[in-house]
Amino acid sequence: MKKNAILVINCGSSSLKFSLINPECGEIIISGIAERLSSPSACITTKYQGDKGQQPLSPPYAHKAAISELVGILSKHQLVEQVCAIGHRVVHGGEDYSQPTLITDDVKQTIVKLSKLAPLHNPANLIGIEACQKVFSQLPQMAIFDTAFHQTMPDTAYIYGIPYSMYQKHSIRKYGFHGTSHYFVATQAAKMLNRPLSDCNIITAHLGNGCSVTAVSQGKSVDSSMGFTPLEGVMMGSRSGSIDPGIIFHLIDQLGYSADEVNKLLNKESGLLGVSGLSNDCRTLEQAMLEEKHPQAKLALDVFSYQIAKSIASLSASLNQLDGIVFTGGIGENSSYVREQVTSYLSLLNIKIDTEKNASTRFGQSGNIGQENSRPCWVIPTNEEWVIAQQSYQLLNKE
Ligand code: AMP
């Protein structure tokens, strides 16, 4: 049996997603998710050769239990022997990591140090790393950072208009996120242009539950809408995106909010959910808009689309040339309504979409939905797991 598959792990605070991937062709051998971790209802769902299976996790129902169960599942299907390395998605690499990195004790310490920049994500990523190290002690483990792709941004893009000492002393700067997704779809767009990525200038819009827009110049990220945290930029499923910072002082000083309450309001109760008062889910909002003529569902989708268009237009300032734009993520790949609304504001960039192509490009299809005389406007399904597998495999072969 060939030992050339990468086990990709994406560990959150209460879930752990995994896929075993052939890094050369992107084939997913087995995939699954352990959910509701640390609660008695924790379970693991797997997809293997078209069949879905689910089983409960044993106490204490946490990440270690999920990894042990995963080993059992891989053994049952005789897949353990195929795994040559483990690639972990790690959200924050700060300024320390701009490349895929072999995980050592020093690297783990740096991930801990960077937890102050990503308190919800890095500690969970580390739990996944340590659980895998215990069980797969013989295998190399790699960290692929969400921020790494954006480390090429110039200081004009990443410095905020606040005292410079905040950057020097406290690392407060723009980092950008969703790096593997922006990199992947930019690579695919370059293939469609039949040019090397290093020759392409593209704006990529990753629109899922989290949303970010990135300008990619000659293959490198030069600016992105998310910032110091994934809260900045366009509004998202339940995150506000950028707002006047004065609102925060108003909430605290005039309306009696605590810092925790402001945090919850902006991260969990805003965005599509907050404006619609209905849901953070684009599908639900589209349905409510069409079937019930729900005015706030429409308003939420329209504010969202306008903000994305403004973000694309403003990021075009960082490019000398624009070869096309890309929509990806659950909303970008599927919502013809959002794509139509976004592009309706972009005629100055010569982006005009073909209504029929727009309506028919969804559910995992990719293609250029632009009119013939328009700049290309691609829909490209993202595949962050494959990037993690490819980069881990390349690093393994370099070591
Ligand atoms: P992601 O975080 O990339 O999984 O994206 C999740 C978002 O994609 C949610 O807001 C979903 O409602 C949205 N989405 C998924 N499928 C569709 C669809 N067919 N039409 C509109 N939105 C969709």
Side-chain angles (χ1 to χ4, degrees):
M1 187 167 288
K2 255 179 127 184
K3 193 177 176 73
N4 67 348
I6 302 284
L7 180 61
V8 175
I9 300 285
N10 181 354
C11 193
S13 54
S14 64
S15 72
L16 184 150
K17 284 192 214 151
F18 65 89
S19 1
L20 185 65
I21 297 186
N22 177 334
E24 277 153 7
C25 62
E27 180 207 355
I28 297 173
I29 301 159
I30 188 168
S31 65
I33 181 166
E35 292 173 284
R36 298 189 289 278
L37 294 177
S38 306
S39 88
S41 59
C43 66
I44 186 163
T45 311
T46 46
K47 233 164 77 188
Y48 179 59
Q49 295 185 339
D51 289 333
K52 245 187 172 182
Q54 193 179 65
Q55 50 210 79
L57 291 181
S58 38
Y61 316 108
H63 298 78
K64 245 173 89 183
I67 298 280
S68 306
E69 201 59 54
L70 168 59
V71 176
I73 293 165
L74 295 179
S75 306
K76 185 173 104 190
H77 298 300
Q78 289 157 0
L79 296 170
V80 176
E81 296 307 308
Q82 289 192 32
V83 186
C84 61
I86 302 184
H88 295 269
R89 173 183 182 220
V90 181
V91 167
H92 220 306
E95 291 187 328
D96 297 82
Y97 300 109
S98 58
Q99 297 294 332
T101 302
L102 180 71
I103 298 172
T104 60
D105 286 346
D106 280 353
V107 172
K108 284 200 311 191
Q109 270 172 26
T110 311
I111 295 172
V112 172
K113 179 194 85 180
L114 293 168
S115 289
K116 65 175 190 290
L117 301 180
L120 297 178
H121 296 101
N122 274 28
N125 301 153
L126 198 65
I127 290 173
I129 292 170
E130 295 197 321
C132 283
Q133 280 182 325
K134 286 215 174 83
V135 178
F136 298 101
S137 55
Q138 309 301 321
L139 292 178
Q141 319 251 342
M142 323 299 194
I144 313 298
F145 298 92
D146 248 28
T147 48
F149 180 56
H150 299 297
Q151 277 298 298
T152 45
M153 271 187 223
D155 54 5
T156 39
Y158 71 69
I159 290 294
Y160 287 113
I162 57 176
Y164 193 67
S165 57
M166 289 290 154
Y167 167 58
Q168 291 171 304
K169 286 196 199 143
H170 303 296
S171 308
I172 297 179
R173 52 158 281 180
K174 179 183 282 250
Y175 289 98
F177 297 87
H178 292 140
T180 46
S181 177
H182 290 294
Y183 167 73
F184 178 77
V185 296
T187 311
Q188 298 304 107
K191 280 190 188 152
M192 295 200 197
L193 286 168
N194 218 357
R195 300 215 308 257
L197 181 62
S198 56
D199 263 3
C200 297
N201 299 289
I202 298 162
I203 293 179
T204 51
H206 176 107
L207 312 176
N209 275 322
C211 301
S212 65
V213 185
T214 293
V216 182
S217 170
Q218 298 175 337
K220 296 193 166 115
S221 166
V222 287
D223 201 354
S224 193
S225 60
M226 277 182 173
F228 177 63
T229 72
L231 186 56
E232 191 184 345
V234 297
M235 81 184 222
M236 313 177 202
S238 66
R239 283 176 242 163
S240 62
S242 297
I243 57 165
D244 176 352
I247 295 172
I248 295 172
F249 306 117
H250 184 79
L251 287 168
I252 292 173
D253 297 338
Q254 306 297 327
L255 303 178
Y257 276 63
S258 68
D260 276 352
E261 284 166 343
V262 174
N263 196 343
K264 190 165 161 239
L265 180 87
L266 300 183
N267 275 294
K268 301 251 173 1
E269 297 166 357
S270 296
L272 293 174
L273 171 66
V275 178
S276 69
L278 183 67
S279 171
N280 66 340
D281 191 287
C282 179
R283 266 170 304 198
T284 310
L285 297 186
E286 285 189 10
Q287 205 179 348
M289 174 180 73
L290 295 172
E291 291 174 10
E292 299 160 36
K293 305 256 176 294
H294 193 296
Q296 271 173 254
K298 178 170 174 0
L299 181 65
L301 290 168
D302 291 351
V303 174
F304 176 68
S305 303
Y306 178 56
Q307 291 196 1
I308 295 158
K310 279 201 299 183
S311 186
I312 292 172
S314 72
L315 285 168
S316 70
S318 61
L319 302 174
N320 292 327
Q321 198 185 313
L322 179 61
D323 295 313
I325 66 169
V326 179
F327 286 105
T328 193
I331 299 173
E333 291 165 31
N334 294 296
S335 173
S336 51
Y337 180 78
V338 168
R339 293 190 304 236
E340 189 178 336
Q341 291 302 306
V342 170
T343 49
S344 72
Y345 298 108
L346 296 176
S347 53
L348 271 181
L349 292 180
N350 189 26
I351 289 167
K352 296 173 204 138
I353 56 164
D354 178 300
T355 313
E356 272 174 35
K357 284 188 200 159
N358 183 36
S360 62
T361 309
R362 54 207 306 227
F363 306 138
Q365 282 174 310
S366 55
N368 178 4
I369 58 170
Q371 291 175 13
E372 241 156 59
N373 60 352
S374 158
R375 233 183 262 281
C377 178
W378 298 283
V379 174
I380 301 177
T382 195
N383 195 337
E384 289 159 281
E385 287 78 13
W386 189 14
V387 176
I388 295 174
Q390 279 175 323
Q391 295 188 341
S392 301
Y393 195 61
Q394 281 160 9
L395 181 59
L396 181 72
N397 290 324
K398 251 202 252 161
E399 289 292 319

mmCIF file of all heavy atoms in Angstrom, residues 35 58-59 94 97 149 154 208 327 332 363:
data_model
loop_
_atom_site.group_PDB
_atom_site.id
_atom_site.type_symbol
_atom_site.label_atom_id
_atom_site.label_comp_id
_atom_site.label_asym_id
_atom_site.label_seq_id
_atom_site.Cartn_x
_atom_site.Cartn_y
_atom_site.Cartn_z
ATOM 1 N N GLU A 35 -18.384 16.405 16.136
ATOM 2 C CA GLU A 35 -19.080 17.632 16.553
ATOM 3 C C GLU A 35 -19.553 17.539 17.998
ATOM 4 O O GLU A 35 -19.574 16.475 18.573
ATOM 5 C CB GLU A 35 -20.314 17.850 15.669
ATOM 6 C CG GLU A 35 -19.956 18.189 14.243
ATOM 7 C CD GLU A 35 -21.183 18.237 13.339
ATOM 8 O OE1 GLU A 35 -21.692 17.155 12.986
ATOM 9 O OE2 GLU A 35 -21.615 19.341 13.015
ATOM 10 N N SER A 58 -16.884 8.375 23.115
ATOM 11 C CA SER A 58 -16.921 7.927 24.507
ATOM 12 C C SER A 58 -16.435 9.046 25.445
ATOM 13 O O SER A 58 -15.729 9.960 25.000
ATOM 14 C CB SER A 58 -16.086 6.663 24.679
ATOM 15 O OG SER A 58 -14.946 6.756 23.876
ATOM 16 N N PRO A 59 -16.808 8.980 26.739
ATOM 17 C CA PRO A 59 -16.380 10.007 27.687
ATOM 18 C C PRO A 59 -14.854 10.118 27.694
ATOM 19 O O PRO A 59 -14.196 9.078 27.501
ATOM 20 C CB PRO A 59 -16.888 9.503 29.041
ATOM 21 C CG PRO A 59 -17.892 8.449 28.725
ATOM 22 C CD PRO A 59 -17.597 7.930 27.359
ATOM 23 N N GLY A 94 0.728 34.926 13.036
ATOM 24 C CA GLY A 94 1.329 36.239 13.306
ATOM 25 C C GLY A 94 2.350 36.605 12.246
ATOM 26 O O GLY A 94 2.200 36.262 11.065
ATOM 27 N N TYR A 97 5.153 33.256 10.954
ATOM 28 C CA TYR A 97 5.092 32.215 9.932
ATOM 29 C C TYR A 97 4.486 32.716 8.628
ATOM 30 O O TYR A 97 3.343 33.158 8.599
ATOM 31 C CB TYR A 97 4.286 31.017 10.444
ATOM 32 C CG TYR A 97 4.903 30.416 11.677
ATOM 33 C CD1 TYR A 97 4.303 30.559 12.915
ATOM 34 C CD2 TYR A 97 6.125 29.750 11.600
ATOM 35 C CE1 TYR A 97 4.892 30.037 14.061
ATOM 36 C CE2 TYR A 97 6.726 29.231 12.736
ATOM 37 C CZ TYR A 97 6.114 29.378 13.962
ATOM 38 O OH TYR A 97 6.702 28.873 15.076
ATOM 39 N N PHE A 149 -0.427 33.410 3.923
ATOM 40 C CA PHE A 149 -0.474 33.927 2.552
ATOM 41 C C PHE A 149 -0.446 35.461 2.536
ATOM 42 O O PHE A 149 0.022 36.077 1.577
ATOM 43 C CB PHE A 149 -1.742 33.398 1.863
ATOM 44 C CG PHE A 149 -1.933 33.851 0.440
ATOM 45 C CD1 PHE A 149 -0.953 33.623 -0.523
ATOM 46 C CD2 PHE A 149 -3.101 34.500 0.052
ATOM 47 C CE1 PHE A 149 -1.139 34.033 -1.847
ATOM 48 C CE2 PHE A 149 -3.296 34.903 -1.263
ATOM 49 C CZ PHE A 149 -2.305 34.677 -2.219
ATOM 50 N N PRO A 154 2.256 44.829 1.933
ATOM 51 C CA PRO A 154 3.186 45.911 2.303
ATOM 52 C C PRO A 154 2.694 46.636 3.563
ATOM 53 O O PRO A 154 1.512 46.553 3.906
ATOM 54 C CB PRO A 154 3.105 46.839 1.081
ATOM 55 C CG PRO A 154 1.758 46.593 0.495
ATOM 56 C CD PRO A 154 1.424 45.155 0.775
ATOM 57 N N GLY A 208 -18.417 33.009 2.923
ATOM 58 C CA GLY A 208 -19.040 31.866 3.596
ATOM 59 C C GLY A 208 -19.667 32.405 4.866
ATOM 60 O O GLY A 208 -20.167 33.538 4.879
ATOM 61 N N PHE A 327 -15.474 34.598 -7.074
ATOM 62 C CA PHE A 327 -16.387 34.343 -5.955
ATOM 63 C C PHE A 327 -16.159 32.924 -5.468
ATOM 64 O O PHE A 327 -16.163 31.984 -6.274
ATOM 65 C CB PHE A 327 -17.848 34.449 -6.409
ATOM 66 C CG PHE A 327 -18.315 35.856 -6.655
ATOM 67 C CD1 PHE A 327 -18.471 36.331 -7.940
ATOM 68 C CD2 PHE A 327 -18.610 36.697 -5.593
ATOM 69 C CE1 PHE A 327 -18.921 37.628 -8.174
ATOM 70 C CE2 PHE A 327 -19.056 37.994 -5.808
ATOM 71 C CZ PHE A 327 -19.206 38.461 -7.099
ATOM 72 N N GLY A 332 -20.518 32.579 -2.114
ATOM 73 C CA GLY A 332 -19.926 32.944 -3.401
ATOM 74 C C GLY A 332 -20.107 31.863 -4.452
ATOM 75 O O GLY A 332 -20.275 32.148 -5.640
ATOM 76 N N PHE A 363 -23.532 24.816 -6.897
ATOM 77 C CA PHE A 363 -23.368 23.427 -6.450
ATOM 78 C C PHE A 363 -22.056 22.799 -6.935
ATOM 79 O O PHE A 363 -22.037 21.742 -7.567
ATOM 80 C CB PHE A 363 -24.548 22.557 -6.893
ATOM 81 C CG PHE A 363 -25.890 23.095 -6.467
ATOM 82 C CD1 PHE A 363 -26.979 23.089 -7.315
ATOM 83 C CD2 PHE A 363 -26.050 23.622 -5.189
ATOM 84 C CE1 PHE A 363 -28.209 23.596 -6.917
ATOM 85 C CE2 PHE A 363 -27.276 24.141 -4.775
ATOM 86 C CZ PHE A 363 -28.359 24.125 -5.647
#
